[in-house]
Amino acid sequence: MTEAEQELIKELRRQNPKAQWLTLQRYGKGIFAQVARLVPAKEDAEEVYQDVFVKAFTNIEQYDEARSSLRTWLSRIAYNAAVDWLRHKRQPVVYFEDREGKADSLSDQEVDDTLGHPNDETVQLIRAALKHLPPEEQAIITMFYYEEMSLKEIAYVTESIPTTIASKLSRTRKKLCRIIKMLQS
């Protein structure tokens, strides 16, 4: 952690408004993008986004720089806020369930061919397919691909362990590939 980041955290703990403004400037855009990928309506995403920073500034004393970066800690708060919102305020949605296990039978090569080097059409299909996944699976995919978080960072955000995240990511990628194939047919 740089000296500037240490100073920022120190000032955040003092509830310094300038430090809060700087935090919003530095991390706000990424955190909003993370929330907006999970919370569909812009107004709702804005509400969740505001809640994230209110929680962060109110609970800054709980931040432990030995466990994560400030960005990852904020992502954890954003993940929990977005998933909570999805669970409690969103209308029920029917998610894709692979009862026949067809997604598991897909090879890693087949998944990589579909998701590995997406063109514009594939990106649109991925976005459409993501809506058919439960919030936790959507979050893992978006953190890994859009936020480019490591398995360790995702594990911290989701309060899990990296090997579990690796397994979930593998299964979710296969499920996403299966949904894309269904959308194409």
Side-chain angles (χ1 to χ4, degrees):
M1 179 180 303
T2 67
E3 198 173 304
E5 288 171 322
Q6 289 175 340
E7 184 63 28
L8 176 64
I9 292 163
K10 184 173 133 186
E11 291 302 312
L12 285 171
R13 288 187 170 134
R14 291 183 180 157
Q15 300 295 315
N16 181 323
K18 284 185 180 179
Q20 292 172 342
W21 181 85
L22 182 59
T23 302
L24 286 168
Q25 293 302 305
R26 188 176 290 171
Y27 303 106
K29 188 175 181 179
I31 295 299
F32 182 77
Q34 179 184 354
V35 169
R37 285 187 196 98
L38 294 173
V39 178
K42 185 179 179 191
E43 299 80 24
D44 294 329
E46 288 170 348
E47 181 181 325
V48 172
Y49 166 81
Q50 289 174 1
D51 290 345
V52 168
F53 282 98
V54 168
K55 288 175 187 173
F57 296 151
T58 303
N59 297 298
I60 189 66
E61 291 300 326
Q62 295 177 12
Y63 169 64
D64 180 2
E65 52 270 356
R67 293 191 65 209
S68 73
S69 68
L70 183 59
R71 178 186 149 273
T72 303
W73 184 71
L74 291 169
S75 290
R76 182 180 192 165
I77 295 169
Y79 165 81
N80 287 324
V83 170
D84 283 349
W85 184 90
L86 287 168
R87 284 185 186 139
H88 296 105
K89 295 187 180 177
R90 190 171 176 191
Q91 295 298 317
V93 175
V94 177
Y95 296 112
F96 172 77
E97 192 172 334
D98 187 28
R99 292 180 187 228
E100 296 91 36
K102 290 182 180 179
D104 288 335
S105 67
L106 294 172
S107 70
D108 289 337
Q109 184 61 49
E110 203 172 350
V111 173
D112 286 342
D113 288 347
T114 303
L115 304 176
H117 303 287
N119 56 32
D120 289 341
E121 180 185 346
T122 310
V123 168
Q124 294 302 325
L125 285 169
I126 291 170
R127 286 187 180 140
L130 274 172
K131 294 175 184 171
H132 297 282
L133 294 175
E136 292 85 358
E137 291 176 353
Q138 287 180 29
I140 289 171
I141 290 291
T142 58
M143 284 186 275
F144 188 77
Y145 287 106
Y146 292 100
E147 306 296 326
E148 297 180 349
M149 292 178 135
S150 69
L151 295 177
K152 183 178 177 183
E153 289 173 315
I154 296 170
Y156 174 79
V157 168
T158 60
E159 300 178 46
S160 187
I161 58 174
T163 53
T164 301
I165 295 303
S167 293
K168 285 181 179 180
L169 182 61
S170 176
R171 280 194 313 275
T172 304
R173 282 174 37 108
K174 288 180 178 183
K175 199 184 222 184
L176 193 60
C177 185
R178 178 85 172 108
I179 294 168
I180 288 170
K181 289 179 181 293
M182 289 172 54
L183 291 172
Q184 288 175 322
S185 56

